[in-house]
Amino acid sequence: AEKTSGTSRLITFTEANSGNAYRLNEVKLNSLESGKTYYYRVGDGENWSEVLSFTTAPAEKGAKTNFFIFGDIQTDNTANLSAAIERVKASDPKYAFGIQTGDAIDNVTAFNNWRAYLTVLNAEKLAGIDVMHTLGNHEYYGDATGSASDVLLNMKGRDYYSTEYGDVYIAVINFTADWEAALAWLIEDARASSAAWKILSVHQPPYFTNEGGGSARFNAIVPAAVDAAGIDVVFSGHDHAYART
């Protein structure tokens, strides 16, 4: 692997926890090979983490791919997330990636909310598994532009995006996206993919089962676009209830 660039950024929390901050460091790599495991450490030149690793996606189509879904954690209690990650770590075969369907953070202006969530993900050794994040309504509370989530979850201002892992295509549309533009993009982007399985992650579902919920706006526009795009399954959250249709 070759390092192409490295950056360091500082994000401070002044509203809910004055004086607290995260220092974010980023390294971009190229010339990675498909289906290979790479090992690395993180440190300041004197103090180093233990050896960590990640495995790149296989190049061949048709390989079996396992992935997990979680959402609506809202940070207040990460015990369930810790238990879920233990199952992820113990899985055989191993999970290739995860999808987070939104509202991982209750209050994005509060340092302790981010610390609780990110500490569980990293301390529980999930760092070697990619997680595709979807921004829900809580990711914008007190931060209308979603700038904190953009930086801390490496979203880079993207209201919608897609990626492929093996034979699986995954598209994500965030809560505050321009949905007309996003769904037009989805149809074109998903149709261009040759992946056997196509997935969409959104926060608010087009169909709801929670009596106090409501998804009329999403129900009016999402299902037809999903069909036109050839999407096989849509994962969402928001209702705090489990259902499948």
Side-chain angles (χ1 to χ4, degrees), residues 73-147:
I73 302 159
Q74 294 184 7
T75 312
D76 290 343
N77 186 345
T78 57
N80 286 338
L81 178 61
S82 293
I85 289 176
E86 287 300 322
R87 292 195 293 273
V88 167
K89 290 164 57 181
S91 69
D92 186 20
K94 299 297 184 183
Y95 287 101
F97 62 87
I99 298 174
Q100 189 273 118
T101 62
D103 284 7
I105 305 300
D106 185 55
N107 179 1
V108 295
T109 68
F111 177 83
N112 60 356
N113 276 212
W114 284 105
R115 181 172 55 191
Y117 178 60
L118 296 176
T119 296
V120 170
L121 291 190
N122 292 310
E124 300 291 347
K125 306 301 184 293
L126 199 62
I129 301 178
D130 288 329
V131 177
M132 273 138 293
H133 293 279
T134 311
L135 302 188
N137 51 297
H138 274 264
E139 271 81 10
Y140 298 93
Y141 281 0
D143 182 17
T145 63
S147 58

